[in-house]
């Protein structure tokens, strides 16, 4: 099974590191990286509006930074919640942040479409836990 990952983070170094960690997990994957939540929302809206699109472009997992200019991770979630197609409902969203601020963690737990909170950076173990949601195991 090939998984589609969407990385949303305003920090290019974090995007690069997270992409490399996913690539090193040895799973078949496509990775789309966005440096702004606005552009990621536009991408998802475009997928939603194109009824002829197949599922190969829809992310299975979104790793979303909380603190970004223009649109925070929480604002992204609000925009994501407005998407209406069933295609978007199966996406698993994880907040990925360097913040250990208790209120952020609590707020994430209240978000219906956000299934987890991960402290940066991604790790091999974190990817393993995410993959277990899809019943996929990593190859050495």
């Amino acid at each position: 099974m090939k998984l589609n990952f969407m990385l949303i983070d305003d920090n290019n170094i974090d995007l690069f590191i997270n992409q490399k960690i996913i690539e090193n997990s040895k799973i078949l994957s496509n990775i789309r990286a966005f440096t702004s939540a606005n552009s990621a929302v536009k991408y998802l809206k475009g997928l939603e509006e194109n009824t002829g699109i197949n599922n190969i472009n829809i992310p299975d997992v979104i790793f979303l930074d909380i603190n970004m200019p223009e649109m925070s991770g929480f604002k992204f979630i609000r925009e994501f919640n407005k998407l209406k197609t069933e295609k978007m409902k199966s996406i698993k969203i994880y907040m990925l942040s360097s913040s250990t601020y208790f209120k952020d963690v609590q707020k994430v737990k209240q978000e219906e479409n956000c299934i987890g909170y991960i402290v940066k950076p991604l790790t091999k173990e974190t990817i393993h836990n995410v993959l277990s949601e899809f019943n996929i195991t990593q190859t050495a």
Side-chain angles (χ1 to χ4, degrees):
M1 175 180 186
K2 187 176 243 184
L3 287 180
N4 294 319
F5 290 92
M6 178 183 276
L7 302 173
I8 307 170
D9 197 315
D10 60 313
N11 184 317
N12 284 318
I13 294 171
D14 286 341
L15 282 175
F16 177 79
I17 291 169
N18 293 333
Q19 185 167 344
K20 289 300 174 194
I21 290 169
I22 293 169
E23 288 171 356
N24 290 335
S25 70
K26 308 273 191 254
I27 61 160
L28 290 174
S29 63
N30 290 318
I31 303 168
R32 282 195 166 69
F34 294 86
T35 56
S36 82
N38 283 327
S39 58
V41 166
K42 287 178 187 173
Y43 174 81
L44 292 171
K45 284 181 180 178
L47 291 179
E48 182 178 56
E49 291 168 4
N50 188 346
T51 56
I53 198 133
N54 59 30
N55 290 343
I56 64 166
N57 295 312
I58 297 172
D60 297 299
V61 176
I62 296 175
F63 290 118
L64 174 64
D65 188 23
I66 290 178
N67 298 312
M68 295 180 284
E70 296 177 35
M71 181 184 287
S72 71
F74 292 112
K75 287 181 184 174
F76 172 89
I77 295 276
R78 276 185 290 230
E79 291 300 312
F80 179 85
N81 290 341
K82 294 177 186 176
L83 298 174
K84 296 179 178 33
T85 62
E86 277 304 307
K87 294 186 229 180
M88 301 297 167
K89 301 304 177 198
S90 65
I91 298 172
K92 296 181 184 329
I93 301 175
Y94 294 87
M95 285 288 195
L96 180 62
S97 181
S98 57
S99 170
T100 55
Y101 187 53
F102 180 74
K103 287 187 179 185
D104 283 343
V105 177
Q106 288 304 110
K107 194 171 178 182
V108 165
K109 288 180 181 179
Q110 295 170 359
E111 292 291 345
E112 179 182 338
N113 287 316
C114 189
I115 64 168
Y117 186 91
I118 299 169
V119 176
K120 286 182 183 178
L122 278 178
T123 63
K124 195 172 185 177
E125 182 181 327
T126 305
I127 293 296
H128 173 75
N129 293 338
V130 169
L131 296 176
S132 69
E133 295 282 329
F134 294 92
N135 294 320
I136 296 174
T137 57
Q138 292 170 276
T139 59

